[in-house]
Amino acid sequence: MFSKILIANRGEIALRVIRACKEMGIHSVAVHSTADTDAMHVRMADESVCIGPPSGTQSYLSIPNIISACEITGAEAVHPGYGFLSENANFVQVLEDHDIAFIGPTSEHINTMGDKITAKETMRKLGVPCVPGSDGGVPTIEEAHKVSDEMGYPVIVKATAGGGGRGMKLAKTKDDLEEAFSTARSEAKAAFGNDEVYVEKYLTLPRHIEIQVFGDGKGRAVHLGERDCSLQRRHQKVFEESPSPAIDAATRAEIGKTCAEAVAAINYAGAGTIEFLYENGEFFFIEMNTRLQVEHPVTEAVYGVDLVREQINVAAGLGMSMQQEDLVPLGHAIECRINAEKLPQFQPSPGKVLAYHAPGGLGVRMDSALYQGYSIPPYYDSLIGKLIVHSPDRPAALARLRRALDEFIVDGIDTTTPLFYQLLDEPDIQTGDYNIHWLEKWLENIE
Ligand code: MV4
């Protein structure tokens, strides 16, 4: 086992990893920018290294600075958290060149899944159901017309270097295709330096369902069911739950088996998420994320596992403790992402936290790096906490969520907390009758 791990991240996810390290008897090293000297992850780690000025590009994204911090402290492994360098294949390569372990998959798997065309082709060959669309890249408008006519409108043009909602253009009819195709290409060229695009049938009212997978890197893998992440605003998730109100045990077992077998076949190592659109009882693969996700705690609650501990064990060559037959979902978990933002416009609201009280009690988990007196810096994303509740069933989880929100106190900054009270009052949320467009439509109509 590693004796020292460096966490190349900040905020609540850095704390999450430090907590796992402590429980495993592993020394933790925090890195921080000059804006994060007083951050909780720095206090909670065994050691810390300043790696640069406030700007993320010059600190948490600086590969040379993070490698230097590893060398100075003698860290044997790096946990990247999510965002920042977590899906950067070059970073993984540089770590390898310095004999430092990366707690995550290989650079090859990151590359494969980072290119969305290659990811889709890989998954299709592995038997994972995909959205109907072009076979690979579409280099000309003539070809775009040909595939679109064959499959029928609406279609969506996506950048192979995109993902997570970046670099997509919808063509509702044939008249829209030329513009969608050319703007998707030029925006992709400008944003990613790669103008390759592909075309898919546009699904009008799907849910976003993602399957948590975990591999040992040696041909064994398991799945840990699904998370329903349909409630999003501008491609940012707001409210996630497991199990999905739309998925039954037989459906879960079938898609889960398909996903676990796919990642086992490629010797995938560590945590991964296979994203699907789910419409009319059918799954359609869109992307795979090769990192630990923000919303992993809902899966941890329902399956009773510590995904970060498993990641560290696999990276250290000790294998995973999970066996598929032992992974039985229990109850229902919901996560609310609480942002330092001012409603109704969601403007960032950094500043000093004058009072802070985290909710607690049975079935409540608050992952947050806030404390009273802390000043939230304006340089990073606005997530300040994740409130996760777990109960025997969905109605009880909704009731527990309301109770936990009542206990939550944060003064001095604006947060998105009021949104969750309003959501809990909605009949569609109470019944689970929502899709990927529900939240944006609802936000247009309230206030
Ligand atoms: C789609 C789609 C409809 N049809 N692909 C947006 C994020 C990226 N991961 C994929 N996205 C979509 N791909 C086809 N063929 C609709 C979306 C989409 C979406 C997906 C998940 C959650 C929220 C969304 C909001 C708008 C569009």
Side-chain angles (χ1 to χ4, degrees):
M1 180 44 68
F2 308 120
S3 57
K4 196 183 273 193
I5 291 175
L6 181 142
I7 299 99
N9 216 303
R10 64 182 303 284
E12 68 84 18
I13 194 62
L15 293 194
R16 169 69 188 87
V17 177
I18 292 167
R19 286 171 171 148
C21 289
K22 288 195 173 176
E23 292 178 14
M24 296 173 82
I26 301 168
H27 281 268
S28 55
V29 180
V31 293
H32 66 91
S33 69
T34 55
D36 275 343
T37 306
D38 298 325
M40 186 60 106
H41 75 285
V42 175
R43 296 195 189 187
M44 209 180 272
D46 295 309
E47 305 174 54
S48 65
V49 181
C50 182
I51 52 163
S55 149
T57 31
Q58 294 177 83
S59 53
Y60 300 103
L61 284 165
S62 168
I63 295 174
N65 296 8
I66 289 167
I67 298 287
S68 298
C70 291
E71 309 249 272
I72 289 165
T73 58
E76 302 150 29
V78 171
H79 195 299
Y82 50 68
F84 292 125
L85 296 169
S86 62
E87 293 177 289
N88 186 313
N90 176 53
F91 178 53
V92 177
Q93 199 64 64
V94 175
L95 285 170
E96 199 177 300
D97 295 342
H98 288 79
D99 277 319
I100 303 162
F102 178 73
I103 301 171
T106 61
S107 57
E108 288 79 11
H109 285 143
I110 294 175
N111 271 327
T112 300
M113 300 308 167
D115 183 281
K116 304 306 164 187
I117 291 173
T118 312
K120 198 173 169 186
E121 181 62 10
T122 303
M123 286 298 173
R124 191 187 60 76
K125 286 188 183 151
L126 290 165
V128 176
C130 296
V131 187
S134 56
D135 286 325
V138 178
T140 64
I141 182 66
E142 290 75 23
E143 280 208 40
H145 272 294
K146 190 162 173 281
V147 263
S148 303
D149 289 344
E150 277 166 21
M151 109 188 130
Y153 286 85
V155 302
I156 186 163
V157 184
K158 295 183 176 181
T160 193
R166 302 184 314 149
M168 316 188 314
K169 285 285 170 281
L170 173 63
K172 287 187 175 161
T173 69
K174 190 172 175 69
D175 292 340
D176 302 331
L177 186 64
E178 197 162 331
E179 180 168 329
F181 184 78
S182 67
T183 50
R185 281 192 71 148
S186 55
E187 285 182 18
K189 183 82 197 167
F192 318 115
N194 175 356
D195 67 358
E196 191 172 25
V197 298
Y198 59 111
V199 178
E200 284 183 345
K201 178 86 184 168
Y202 180 74
L203 305 181
T204 52
L205 282 177
R207 300 176 80 109
H208 172 119
I209 308 267
E210 55 184 38
I211 306 294
Q212 177 71 56
V213 292
F214 200 99
D216 71 353
K218 296 182 272 185
R220 206 165 70 78
V222 296
H223 75 85
L224 298 96
E226 79 284 2
R227 295 183 287 260
D228 197 318
C229 306
S230 300
L231 295 173
Q232 304 197 10
R233 175 183 175 269
R234 300 192 179 169
H235 302 297
Q236 294 293 317
K237 292 165 187 163
V238 170
F239 174 107
E240 304 105 334
E241 59 182 316
S242 183
S244 167
I247 305 294
D248 63 25
T251 307
R252 173 176 314 114
E254 191 189 342
I255 192 68
K257 183 168 190 279
T258 301
C259 290
E261 285 176 359
V263 297
I266 59 172
N267 296 321
Y268 186 81
T273 298
I274 307 189
E275 292 189 350
F276 293 92
L277 298 177
Y278 181 75
E279 193 174 63
N280 302 321
E282 276 190 274
F283 286 94
F284 301 96
F285 170 80
I286 45 172
E287 291 169 24
M288 177 168 178
N289 301 317
T290 55
R291 61 172 187 276
L292 182 75
Q293 301 220 170
V294 175
E295 61 273 23
H296 76 276
V298 296
T299 299
E300 293 189 322
V302 168
Y303 283 86
V305 300
D306 180 338
L307 287 170
V308 177
R309 170 187 281 265
E310 297 291 338
Q311 285 186 298
I312 293 169
N313 277 331
V314 163
L318 300 177
M320 62 172 166
S321 75
M322 298 178 282
Q323 308 248 10
Q324 191 67 59
E325 55 271 28
D326 302 335
L327 292 169
V328 180
L330 182 72
H332 196 96
I334 301 174
E335 172 177 280
C336 292
R337 294 196 191 189
I338 299 167
N339 290 344
E341 289 170 352
K342 187 173 164 61
L343 296 170
Q345 296 296 321
F346 295 87
Q347 298 116 313
S349 173
K352 187 162 177 175
V353 177
L354 299 177
Y356 178 75
H357 180 262
L362 183 62
V364 176
R365 169 176 175 182
M366 182 82 178
D367 278 16
S368 173
L370 287 203
Y371 60 88
Q372 186 171 322
Y374 176 63
S375 284
I376 300 166
Y379 309 103
Y380 313 104
D381 81 26
S382 60
L383 183 79
I384 54 154
K386 307 186 310 202
L387 172 57
I388 303 103
V389 295
H390 183 219
S391 290
D393 57 36
R394 192 172 185 275
L398 291 167
R400 182 159 284 166
L401 178 56
R402 190 185 294 276
R403 185 275 287 173
L405 287 166
D406 280 340
E407 291 182 15
F408 181 45
I409 297 171
V410 57
D411 287 340
I413 55 160
D414 285 296
T415 78
T416 51
T417 306
L419 191 70
F420 298 107
Y421 282 102
Q422 286 179 279
L423 277 176
L424 284 171
D425 286 335
E426 285 296 328
D428 288 347
I429 299 301
Q430 288 164 8
T431 59
D433 183 14
Y434 57 78
N435 57 54
I436 61 169
H437 301 299
W438 190 95
L439 184 65
E440 301 258 16
K441 274 220 186 87
W442 180 74
L443 288 169
E444 278 171 28
N445 294 322
I446 57 165
E447 283 202 317

